[in-house]
């Protein structure tokens, strides 16, 4: 079976080529993202493998179906970029990677917290210039602070376990409460209570209609002045103009984002020799208390290997008329 990849980087090829030795698929790679501009290039492929910024709307799926594509494999957990109803209409089977090294994303969230708090990125640059002054580098003890966790799926659970080791008070909100986290000391509260009580708020929920712009002008007004907000989940959870206003008013003390609502035109590309046409992210990056990383929270060896293995295994089982080993991997 031929599988055509989009948004494929050298590291994707490395892991998929290595693990494909156990499956024997014919793998074809395109570095460009999937969309109307490239979909007609797909030929003789039974499967498409897509990533977070690929466009899988009804129009793209219609063309893929006409070209004989039967399977859509998302090498990620989120699927807000895919029209599930259209996939059903065209008889396509859709699988994803529901969980891949949740510790990778949770640890990156911690790295952002510590960097923003202790300003290690600024200290690094200062010392390289032989400036050993401490002015402007003061942080606060994480120990004893209240950390709010929005979403306690696999990543939220991993994040809670990490922060528990720092001696934090842990609040969480989710439609399902986790008994293991409760035993760890996590207290489930309504979102409004979490927003009002937390010194640090970390987002670990999916992007749905109900969570779009969860952080907005109204929710910011419920937060403590000087709150730290971390988003390693999906860019659309944050209303960016509202957050910029919150930074200006000092309602937000610091912001760490590994995702951005308009990231598909920016992230996973080297734009160091170009002028960005996105004034919003330029403005965000101009704030001294904002840390932006380019959707790298998942980017560990363990996670990439698990993504490749799960994706190839699911495609193999679908080709044989079976369902993926993890029921959560099958969307349609």
């Amino acid at each position: 079976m031929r599988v055509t990849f989009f948004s494929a980087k050298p590291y994707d090829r490395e892991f998929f080529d290595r693990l494909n030795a156990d499956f024997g698929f014919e793998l074809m790679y395109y570095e460009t993202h999937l969309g109307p501009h490239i979909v007609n290039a797909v030929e003789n492929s039974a499967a498409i493998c897509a990533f977070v910024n690929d466009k899988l709307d009804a129009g793209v799926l219609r063309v893929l179906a006409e070209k004989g594509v039967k399977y859509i494999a998302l090498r990620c957990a989120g699927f807000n970029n895919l029209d599930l109803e259209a996939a059903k209409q065209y008889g396509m089977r859709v699988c994803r990677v529901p969980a891949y090294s949740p510790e990778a994303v949770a640890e990156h969230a911690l790295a952002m917290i510590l960097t923003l708090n202790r300003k290690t990125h600024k200290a690094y640059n200062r010392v390289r210039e032989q400036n050993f002054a401490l002015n402007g580098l003061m942080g606060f003890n994480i120990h004893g602070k209240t950390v709010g966790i929005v979403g306690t799926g696999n990543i939220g659970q991993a994040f809670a376990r990490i922060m528990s080791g720092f001696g934090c008070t842990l609040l969480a909100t989710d439609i399902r409460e986790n008994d293991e986290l409760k035993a760890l000391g996590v207290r489930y509260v309504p979102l409004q209570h979490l927003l009002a009580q937390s010194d640090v708020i970390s987002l670990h929920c999916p992007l749905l209609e109900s969570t779009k712009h969860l952080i907005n002008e109204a929710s910011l007004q419920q937060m403590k002045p000087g709150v730290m907000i971390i988003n390693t989940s999906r860019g659309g959870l944050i209303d960016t103009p509202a957050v910029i206003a919150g930074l200006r008013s000092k309602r937000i003390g610091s912001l760490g984002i590994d995702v951005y609502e308009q990231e598909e035109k920016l992230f996973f590309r080297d734009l160091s020799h170009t002028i960005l046409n996105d004034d919003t992210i330029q403005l965000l990056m101009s704030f001294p208390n904002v840390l932006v990383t380019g959707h790298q929270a998942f980017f560990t060896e363990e996670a990439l290997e698990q993504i490749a293995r799960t994706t190839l295994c699911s495609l193999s089982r679908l080709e044989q008329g079976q369902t993926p080993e993890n029921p959560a991997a099958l969307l349609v």
Side-chain angles (χ1 to χ4, degrees), residues 125-168:
N125 287 326
R126 280 193 188 185
V127 169
R128 285 174 63 85
E129 296 175 356
Q130 302 179 49
N131 178 357
F132 300 94
L134 300 182
N135 295 334
L137 300 181
M138 186 176 292
F140 56 83
N141 284 7
I142 300 292
H143 178 85
K145 294 298 185 292
T146 299
V147 176
I149 307 168
V150 182
T152 54
N154 291 318
I155 296 171
Q157 292 171 43
F159 180 74
R161 289 191 292 268
I162 290 171
M163 299 314 296
S164 174
F166 279 77
C168 300

Side-chain angles (χ1 to χ4, degrees), residues 137-276:
L137 300 181
M138 186 176 292
F140 56 83
N141 284 7
I142 300 292
H143 178 85
K145 294 298 185 292
T146 299
V147 176
I149 307 168
V150 182
T152 54
N154 291 318
I155 296 171
Q157 292 171 43
F159 180 74
R161 289 191 292 268
I162 290 171
M163 299 314 296
S164 174
F166 279 77
C168 300
T169 297
L170 300 178
L171 304 179
T173 185
D174 200 309
I175 57 174
R176 297 183 186 87
E177 298 185 2
N178 184 291
D179 290 336
E180 291 183 10
L181 292 189
K182 287 182 179 180
L184 191 67
V186 176
R187 186 157 55 96
Y188 280 87
V189 296
L191 177 62
Q192 292 79 3
H193 182 89
L194 181 148
L195 297 177
Q197 297 297 318
S198 298
D199 301 294
V200 177
I201 297 172
S202 193
L203 306 179
H204 299 288
C205 55
L207 178 60
L208 308 168
E209 284 299 320
S210 59
T211 60
K212 183 175 175 63
H213 291 174
L214 183 72
I215 305 300
N216 54 48
E217 183 179 357
S219 62
L220 284 170
Q221 292 306 310
Q222 301 176 51
M223 299 179 194
K224 287 184 177 182
V227 66
M228 179 188 290
I229 300 174
I230 304 293
N231 186 12
T232 55
S233 186
R234 285 290 181 266
L237 298 176
I238 285 180
D239 180 347
T240 308
V243 164
I244 289 173
L247 288 162
R248 284 176 165 153
S249 69
K250 297 186 170 67
R251 170 67 62 175
I252 300 175
S254 53
L255 172 71
I257 57 171
D258 184 56
V259 287
Y260 172 59
E261 193 164 15
Q262 307 300 328
E263 70 176 58
E264 66 272 9
K265 297 179 181 179
L266 302 172
F267 288 5
F268 307 112
R269 304 178 185 182
D270 181 359
L271 303 176
S272 58
H273 300 292
T274 63
I275 297 173
L276 296 185

Side-chain angles (χ1 to χ4, degrees), residues 275-295:
I275 297 173
L276 296 185
N277 292 319
D278 189 323
D279 293 338
T280 302
I281 199 164
Q282 291 275 41
L283 180 57
L284 271 176
M285 293 189 298
S286 73
F287 286 96
N289 53 345
V290 171
L291 178 64
V292 179
T293 55
H295 209 133

